[in-house]
Amino acid sequence: MATDIKDTAHPFDAASVMGLLPARPRLLALGEPTHREDTLLDLRNELFQKLVEREGYRTIALETDCLRGTIVDDHVTSGSRTLDEVMEHGFSHEWGADAGNRELVRWMRAYNEDRPEAERLRFAGFDGPLEIAAAESPRQALILLHGYLAAHVDADLLPCTSETLDELLGSDDRWTEPAAMMDPTRSVGRSDGTGRLRLLADELAALLDEQRPHLTAVSTPEEWDRARLYGRTALGLLRYHHWMADTSPARLARLVAVRDRMMSLNLLALAERGPTFVYAHNAHLQREKSSMRMGGRPLEWWSAGALVSAELGEEYAFVATALGTLRHQGVDAPPPDTVEGLLYALPEERCVVDARRLAAVLGDTRPAPRVSPWFGYAPLDPARLADGDGLVFVRDVPQL
């Protein structure tokens, strides 16, 4: 079996990844099994650079706040703000502090220098404005959407004034209350005025669609794309806050599902723009249902990747990443009777694996699932090996 498994692995490069696919997809997604490891971020950066140079990809989309991501995009396309400012304000989850993300932004800005607009690289966050312990106020998205419409359509068509929105929104602190994540009574998502706010947000988004012929004629493509982003984000945030205030057993499952739907809508919008390389956790990009435990309760939901795959078919491709060791987090060499253990026995430090061929080699009797001693690393599920388009395996992930 060892010889057969070796035959499923190829050197890590863009050609090996693309060789697994029937054609260049509009969305090529590379998943990671854990966050904030610069070895994996460096691998991501290397692959994106080759996809830019050889395959015509022009956009990278990361699992970070979609509104903050516009700060990064403005920097890499036009040089606005300093790199330090962009890394501080352009990323959520504190990921601007990661060296691999800083190097990505620096390289993209250098690549775009003196290039015509049509050839410039673009950056996008595709997550909602959501942190682990809280969700942002919908203020920014709503006010920006209203401002765009107010600048371009008859005032009589607007469902409200910006002052009305400001009054209904109230203090941003009440939206970002950390205790609301685990205590729905602390959420404002179903308080007085939020129902009207959701209706007004829906009317503003509908007006955007109704006026599309006019708005696309008087706006740049970038202004139109940003306005649509504001509409999606406002509606998604208000829906998320609505479910934060829910007291039913479905509350947490609805929250993770709403988040991934927000992600999927952002990815589909990016696919309209052209070939996009996507990087996020495996759980957000896989085609099968995702699962986790939260608040002592098992949760299942359809990931952004599953939703996008249902829409795009073969124009969405997903390549998972797995690793051998992460010793600084207590993840030592994998047991030899696991998929990771079989790949760990190969001599390559990193490789691209034909996952479907590997599944065929292993047959119906799959290896046992690996058990991680650290919650932050999600091992492969051997039963779902063939559900992705490929697999990147990194033998050892040292602490850098």
Side-chain angles (χ1 to χ4, degrees), residues 26-27 29 126-127 239 253-269 271 278 281-290 300-318 387:
R26 279 196 276 168
L27 294 179
F126 72 94
D127 199 355
R239 184 175 293 110
R254 292 295 295 130
L255 286 174
V256 292
V258 168
R259 180 189 180 193
D260 269 73
R261 182 173 181 268
M262 291 175 70
M263 288 182 170
S264 72
L265 294 177
N266 286 331
L267 289 177
L268 290 171
V278 184
H281 197 280
N282 288 329
H284 290 303
L285 299 177
Q286 63 194 31
R287 288 190 178 91
E288 64 272 13
K289 266 192 171 180
S290 298
E300 286 191 339
W301 74 99
W302 290 107
S303 72
L307 297 173
V308 169
S309 181
E311 180 75 18
L312 296 183
E314 288 189 350
E315 292 194 283
Y316 175 76
F318 168 57
D387 292 337

Side-chain angles (χ1 to χ4, degrees), residues 153-192:
V153 303
D154 190 325
D156 292 341
L157 297 176
L158 295 170
C160 65
T161 65
S162 61
E163 289 78 12
T164 297
L165 290 178
D166 189 64
E167 180 182 349
L168 290 170
L169 284 162
S171 168
D172 287 347
D173 291 345
R174 70 192 195 109
W175 294 93
T176 57
E177 168 59 63
M181 177 53 69
M182 300 311 296
D183 181 358
T185 66
R186 302 291 295 274
S187 171
V188 299
R190 300 189 184 187
S191 60
D192 291 345

Side-chain angles (χ1 to χ4, degrees), residues 138 142 165 168-169 175 193-202 238:
L142 276 173
L165 290 178
L168 290 170
L169 284 162
W175 294 93
T194 55
R196 186 182 176 203
L197 203 56
R198 287 186 74 184
L199 178 60
L200 291 174
D202 185 69
L238 286 165

Side-chain angles (χ1 to χ4, degrees), residues 3-17:
T3 301
D4 291 334
I5 289 175
K6 183 177 178 63
D7 291 342
T8 70
H10 308 280
F12 173 78
D13 55 34
S16 295
V17 172

Side-chain angles (χ1 to χ4, degrees), residues 5-6 10 17-18 52 61 75 80 142 165 175 185 216 236 242 250 274 317 328 331 384:
I5 289 175
K6 183 177 178 63
H10 308 280
V17 172
M18 300 304 291
V52 167
H75 174 77
S80 65
L142 276 173
L165 290 178
W175 294 93
T185 66
T216 53
H242 174 83
H328 55 282
V331 181
R384 295 174 167 178

